[in-house]
Amino acid sequence: MVCPLANFEEVYRTDHGAVYQCSRQNCYWLEFAGDTTAFRVSDFFSFKKKIDAIDVSAMIIDPSRTADFTILMPFRTPRCFVLDINDVLNLRELLNGAKFMIELNSVINACLKTTPSRVAKL
Amino acid sequence: MKDLLRLKTSLNEEIENILNAQIKVEAHSSSVYLAMSSWCDDQGYDFSSDFFTKQSEEERKHMMKLFNYVNDRGGKAISPEIVNVPTDFESFRSVFEQMLEQEMYVTQQFNHIAEKCIKLKDFVTFQFIQWFLEEQIEEEYVARRILEMFDVIGEEGTGRWEIDKHIPKVSYEG
């Protein structure tokens, strides 16, 4: 469940989940597979790297039953992600989109800070 | 929307990755020079052994300078895994040839980082790596000068003993 004190803004959404930013707690919330998880900024990007590093080809090729799922337990979260190939691809799509929007927000903020009108005010 | 990313780090992801890769290169250099030190000691080249021990320590300092910079700028420095460190070398001369090759590779990597910094307009990191680029002039000079001694003194007779004795005297005045 999402923190009731959180001050939310949607970062990115797909059919399979969403990422929100809480500007009060300075964290991101991941909504995926019917549950929500809070990540600190650095943890969020570490989690994305772990998802990107999953070898989907190996999961497809490997005939053993255990290869159908990947289990991830990110530190500092109570969540255990049990992901099949579809979940991995869906999560990647969501996290890639969220990362793009987070970086775009940074670029926009940087541009706004250097516009002539702001400089004039300073 | 509040910019959480820049509150956390001032480093662009690409710059952070390339600096972490350089941390690994420096750590690898340090290990290779330590291996060279050990080989020289084993072969009886005491002065060269000391020279490479100092080189190894210097590379480690370079690594830590980069490591601390990444962390200080809000990034995440990665302690590197070092593999493929040689234990044996063909000859006394080949050790210094490898040293020069290693230094030229490091220079090439820093040039690449400088190019990336300009492309991404990260002039703070660009300024930071100027120190390393200047350092590379000395590193390459010393390796070349030592290699030239092999031709000037010659390896015959007591030549290698003489070269080893002169190794600590090679320095770059700038």
Side-chain angles (χ1 to χ4, degrees):
Chain A
M1 190 189 134
V2 173
C3 168
L5 294 172
N7 174 18
F8 278 123
E9 285 158 296
E10 186 178 293
V11 175
Y12 191 71
R13 170 174 290 281
T14 66
D15 293 341
H16 304 283
V19 173
Y20 303 97
Q21 174 174 314
C22 171
S23 296
R24 186 170 291 155
Q25 303 278 344
N26 285 1
C27 66
Y28 297 112
W29 283 87
L30 171 67
E31 186 184 283
F32 187 77
D35 207 349
T36 50
T37 316
F39 289 91
R40 286 168 51 204
V41 177
S42 54
D43 289 340
F44 179 78
F45 289 101
S46 296
F47 178 66
K48 184 187 178 303
K49 278 182 187 166
K50 279 182 186 153
I51 296 294
D52 288 340
I54 295 170
D55 190 345
V56 175
S57 306
M59 286 173 79
I60 294 169
I61 293 165
D62 194 333
S64 63
R65 287 179 68 192
T66 51
D68 291 342
F69 293 92
T70 295
I71 298 172
L72 276 179
M73 297 172 71
F75 290 141
R76 293 170 292 280
T77 72
R79 184 102 180 249
C80 175
F81 289 85
V82 182
L83 307 167
D84 64 19
I85 291 165
N86 273 335
D87 292 333
V88 173
L89 296 176
N90 290 335
L91 199 48
R92 272 186 192 170
E93 184 193 4
L94 176 60
L95 295 175
N96 279 337
K99 184 180 173 231
F100 177 83
M101 295 309 285
I102 290 165
E103 287 177 344
L104 179 64
N105 181 52
S106 263
V107 172
I108 291 169
N109 269 284
C111 288
L112 289 173
K113 280 173 190 163
T114 53
T115 51
S117 60
R118 185 182 169 92
V119 173
K121 278 180 200 169
L122 293 172
Chain B
M1 191 161 67
K2 193 171 167 185
D3 188 359
L4 297 189
L5 186 59
R6 288 292 157 253
L7 286 179
K8 173 70 188 120
T9 175
S10 302
L11 279 182
N12 176 290
E13 191 187 1
E14 271 187 72
I15 297 288
E16 184 178 326
N17 289 343
I18 205 169
L19 288 177
N20 269 318
Q22 191 59 27
I23 286 169
K24 190 168 184 167
V25 169
E26 298 290 342
H28 186 260
S29 293
S30 176
S31 295
V32 169
Y33 288 152
L34 202 58
M36 288 174 172
S37 169
S38 176
W39 185 86
C40 286
D41 187 74
D42 183 55
Q43 300 288 316
Y45 303 119
D46 285 346
F47 292 104
S48 300
S49 177
D50 289 346
F51 169 80
F52 280 117
T53 302
K54 281 178 193 152
Q55 285 295 115
S56 174
E57 284 164 4
E58 207 168 292
E59 297 304 320
R60 161 105 185 149
K61 280 180 192 161
H62 294 176
M63 183 197 91
M64 288 311 297
K65 201 174 168 84
L66 287 161
F67 195 90
N68 291 333
Y69 176 78
V70 171
N71 282 335
D72 290 349
R73 299 270 291 153
K76 194 173 186 180
I78 296 168
S79 179
E81 183 188 7
I82 309 302
V83 290
N84 294 330
V85 179
T87 52
D88 198 11
F89 299 90
E90 192 185 339
S91 64
F92 191 33
R93 187 189 182 115
S94 78
V95 170
F96 291 98
E97 281 173 352
Q98 280 192 42
M99 177 192 172
L100 179 57
E101 279 170 18
Q102 180 74 22
E103 291 304 337
M104 286 165 70
Y105 174 70
V106 170
T107 306
Q108 195 184 8
Q109 294 305 107
F110 275 116
N111 281 334
H112 183 50
I113 295 172
E115 186 188 1
K116 187 70 87 181
C117 288
I118 292 171
K119 194 179 160 197
L120 296 170
K121 296 184 179 175
D122 184 350
F123 299 112
V124 179
T125 305
F126 182 74
Q127 180 73 22
F128 169 72
I129 64 154
Q130 297 306 306
W131 182 88
F132 290 92
L133 287 166
E134 277 181 35
E135 191 76 3
Q136 283 313 112
I137 299 171
E138 180 184 346
E139 304 286 353
E140 285 189 21
Y141 172 87
V142 168
R144 276 207 185 87
R145 261 282 174 268
I146 291 172
L147 274 177
E148 279 161 9
M149 284 195 330
F150 280 82
D151 296 327
V152 173
I153 297 172
E155 292 185 67
E156 300 306 311
T158 56
R160 282 194 283 272
W161 176 81
E162 195 73 35
I163 292 166
D164 182 47
K165 210 169 71 168
H166 279 83
I167 298 280
K169 295 175 191 163
V170 180
S171 63
Y172 180 65
E173 301 301 330

